[in-house]
Amino acid sequence: MLKSILCLLMFVGSTQTDAFKREMTPLQNSVDTIVSSTGARFMGSDGSKATYLDGYGVVVVLEVMLEPPSNPFGPSKTDQVKTIVGQRRQQLEGKISDLLKQQVTKMESVGPTESMAVIVHILNVTRADVPDLPKQLVLSVKKDAPDQINVREY
């Protein structure tokens, strides 16, 4: 009896892992396209990274710069930087929220009670120019409540 239960659990886990392997690259590409469409840029050469956490669901992590830091030898552009960063942040948050709403119900690897999250690390913005900018945005949604996007700022 115990052996059959363990075999069943291993099969269920492996099917979710197999499903995630198929879904990972298209999901990462969708997130990367969203970032590029807002004018934000990835830090380094890598784009987003997705992983499956057993018991939680799918998590996508990325590091972006909304605007390159200002040149210390050039003219001050604080107002321009605040406007650009604010617009890009709103666009990024809105588009990722829409993606989460669409994808969470379609993802086979996300179980019925599991979640999907996108963690955005915001780097390389001069904090003096935009002092109220969070360092991290966490957008998450549960599969059983796809219209309730939870956004947290850190």
Side-chain angles (χ1 to χ4, degrees), residues 52-112:
Y52 176 78
L53 299 176
D54 192 29
Y56 179 81
V58 174
V59 178
V60 181
V61 179
L62 56 143
E63 295 179 336
V64 299
M65 85 172 124
L66 298 176
E67 180 68 10
S70 56
N71 182 351
F73 302 109
S76 176
K77 299 180 184 179
T78 303
D79 292 335
Q80 272 184 314
V81 170
K82 280 184 182 180
T83 303
I84 291 170
V85 167
Q87 289 172 348
R88 288 182 180 161
R89 178 180 164 213
Q90 275 186 322
Q91 290 174 349
L92 191 63
E93 193 174 315
K95 289 181 178 187
I96 290 175
S97 294
D98 292 343
L99 177 72
L100 286 172
K101 287 177 189 178
Q102 294 168 0
Q103 292 296 320
V104 73
T105 56
K106 296 177 185 177
M107 300 277 292
E108 293 176 29
S109 57
V110 179

Side-chain angles (χ1 to χ4, degrees), residues 10-12 24 36 72 82 98 115 120 127 132-133 140 147:
M10 286 175 43
F11 177 72
V12 169
M24 179 177 66
S36 297
K82 280 184 182 180
D98 292 343
S115 299
V120 182
R127 296 291 167 186
D132 58 344
L133 186 68
S140 61
D147 291 330

Side-chain angles (χ1 to χ4, degrees), residues 19-32 48 50:
F20 176 69
K21 287 178 184 177
R22 288 189 311 272
E23 298 168 339
M24 179 177 66
T25 301
L27 177 62
Q28 289 174 165
N29 290 339
S30 296
V31 172
D32 294 352
S48 59

